[in-house]
Amino acid sequence: MRKKQYHLSEDEVMAAKIARNFIIGKVYNNKWILERMTRDYPLRVAVDQFKDISQHLSSIIIELRACDDLERLRKVSKYVKIMLKEFKTQCSNVWLMPTQFSSIKIELAKIIDEDLDSLRFY
């Protein structure tokens, strides 16, 4: 098996096909993570932003399916990696660790007037 894999890696066309399938799989998995987030947590995430990124990933998958050039696949893979990293960095501002969430609730409880204010946590 390994000898065959090594032999196939020397053939640039076959290497590109194998790499393409791996990259498509990674992009597809990230797309469906975003879709699940919008479905399961619509009040916690920026649904429109998640849907836009998901749609963009769909167009990248379509583009990847037609790509047989190994160098181009590397460039697209690098672009997707950078794009998703930036997106995850932006989203990390939305999610809190349980201890952070507890301390925020405690601080807000000190500030709000229950007769005048209404506060909900999701």
Side-chain angles (χ1 to χ4, degrees):
M1 177 75 169
R2 289 185 185 194
K3 287 181 183 180
K4 186 168 183 162
Q5 288 174 332
Y6 182 75
H7 178 69
L8 289 174
S9 71
E10 292 179 351
D11 180 3
E12 194 164 313
V13 174
M14 284 304 293
K17 287 180 181 180
I18 293 168
R20 179 182 63 208
N21 289 334
F22 277 107
I23 296 167
I24 287 173
K26 288 181 178 189
V27 173
Y28 183 84
N29 287 339
N30 278 285
K31 173 188 169 33
W32 284 106
I33 287 170
L34 296 175
E35 291 293 330
R36 275 194 306 275
M37 293 292 288
T38 60
R39 181 191 67 214
D40 295 344
Y41 306 105
L43 298 174
R44 295 183 185 178
V45 299
V47 173
D48 293 338
Q49 186 181 13
F50 277 52
K51 289 286 186 180
D52 288 344
I53 298 291
S54 176
Q55 186 63 37
H56 187 61
L57 292 175
S58 292
S59 65
I60 290 173
I61 290 171
I62 292 169
E63 183 181 330
L64 283 169
R65 286 186 179 147
C67 185
D68 288 328
D69 179 27
L70 199 53
E71 191 58 36
R72 179 149 171 72
L73 286 169
R74 285 186 186 115
K75 289 178 183 178
V76 172
S77 177
K78 185 176 181 179
Y79 165 76
V80 170
K81 182 179 178 180
I82 291 169
M83 180 190 73
L84 290 172
K85 183 178 179 183
E86 288 175 10
F87 179 70
K88 288 175 185 176
T89 301
Q90 292 172 2
C91 290
S92 67
N93 297 330
V94 175
W95 297 99
L96 299 172
M97 299 299 293
T99 54
Q100 293 171 314
F101 182 65
S102 296
S103 66
I104 288 172
K105 282 174 52 175
I106 291 168
E107 292 301 317
L108 286 173
K110 293 176 188 175
I111 297 170
I112 65 166
D113 181 353
E114 291 183 7
D115 296 330
L116 300 172
D117 301 321
S118 175
L119 185 61
R120 292 185 188 179
F121 296 101
Y122 296 98

